[in-house]
Amino acid sequence: ARGVGPERFVALALPRSLELVVSLLAILKAGAAYLPLDVDYPRDRLAFMLEDAAPVCMISDSATADLLPAGVPTLLLDAQAVSQAIAARSRANPTDAQRTRPLAPSNPAYVIYTSGSTGKPKGVVMSVAPLSNLFSWHAGTDQSSGTSTVAQFTSLSFDVSAQEILSTLCTGKTLAIPTNEIRSNTSDFLKWCKRSGVTDFFIPNIVLDLLCESESEDGLSDSLQVFQAGEALQLSASVAKSFARFPQRRLHNHYGPTETHVVTAYSLPDAVSEWPEVPPIGRPIWNTQVYVLDAQLQPVPAGVAGELYIAGAGLARGYLNRPGLSAERFIANPLGAPGSRMYRTGD
């Protein structure tokens, strides 16, 4: 009724909560894409994101909305009129007949802004199809069970959060959401993990190292599954000690820039004694290709340095309102089918 549907954006600004996850699902089910807003970002950055993405509306609450730039029509979930309107709606999933237009795999699912080389943020527009491929791969290769509990640790402005939240719900696991206060205190977070029965983590290397260093004998789950992404994995002494003490624990190294989400994965050996000194980024996930090419876009021989290019199902649509930059980084793939693209990582 508010014009929310495929090819439109909805800003999402809520505290870490059940309402945040429900609102994210509501946006996706309407066929639109979500734009996460972090109130800890500088106000001028938030203003640029809102102006650039031009969302149809924003879902928020009174306290959070007061911290954000004005000018966007806002649904305040703590407003009585909004609560009454929601209560009057059908509980059934919307269909294409009810959406503003039919939903297609090429439609955006989210736009997440990253810092540009010139300091101007750029919005990476990720479509439904790459996420569907990612979640299918994750479900097909995940070693944990449907009774697992996943900690919703990452910020919504970090692309890993999409895999963290949606792959959990797609595989029937439980998503446990700590408050921001608990999340930002290592001791409180470890106690919360134990109370909540957390078995799965999506966390960057620096947080993994800190948790393992601070963990007591009865801390994290004996069968913990850790999916590390966002930075190069460093196997510190505290991480090795933690995983050696609990042989059932598994550590997975994921690689992928925001422009492609997850691209490659490597599961470290069960025995810590067999861990490599420098963990590799692994092999491509399903329907994804990775090339190491020279300046002429030709594959380099083994052992020769080159630049990493990514092709296949995981590529984002490009940068929002930045056709020149999109054309520079998302280029024609001379090694693939006609019309296919690849992303130049710079790595």
Side-chain angles (χ1 to χ4, degrees), residues 71-136:
V72 180
T74 304
L75 283 169
L76 297 175
L77 296 186
D78 53 351
Q80 185 177 3
V82 173
S83 299
Q84 291 173 343
I86 291 173
R89 297 287 177 176
S90 168
R91 293 174 177 267
N93 285 325
T95 64
D96 273 348
Q98 297 166 312
R99 295 188 181 101
T100 56
R101 59 192 285 187
L103 179 60
S106 60
N107 291 137
Y110 64 68
V111 55
I112 288 181
Y113 281 79
T114 64
S115 298
S117 56
T118 60
K120 181 180 179 182
K122 54 184 188 292
V124 177
V125 180
M126 183 60 71
S127 302
V128 172
L131 294 181
S132 178
N133 182 71
L134 172 63
F135 302 152
S136 297

Side-chain angles (χ1 to χ4, degrees), residues 310-331:
I310 300 166
L315 271 62
R317 287 209 335 197
Y319 301 113
L320 183 64
N321 301 326
R322 306 284 290 276
L325 184 60
S326 296
E328 179 185 324
R329 300 302 294 268
F330 294 87
I331 64 175

Side-chain angles (χ1 to χ4, degrees), residues 175-220:
L175 190 68
I177 309 170
T179 64
N180 209 40
E181 291 73 22
I182 289 176
R183 175 178 172 269
S184 57
N185 183 291
T186 302
S187 176
D188 290 345
F189 182 66
L190 284 168
K191 293 174 184 175
W192 173 86
C193 288
K194 183 173 179 60
R195 290 197 309 271
S196 304
V198 169
T199 57
D200 292 27
F201 273 134
F202 290 79
I203 49 177
N205 179 80
I206 189 171
V207 178
L208 171 63
D209 195 32
L210 185 60
L211 291 178
C212 289
E213 188 175 312
S214 306
E215 180 187 16
S216 64
E217 289 296 327
D218 60 346
L220 300 172

Side-chain angles (χ1 to χ4, degrees), residues 222-223 242-250 269-272:
D222 294 0
S223 56
S242 172
F243 280 77
R245 195 166 73 239
F246 301 101
Q248 288 181 288
R249 291 184 178 179
R250 296 293 176 267
D270 295 350
V272 172

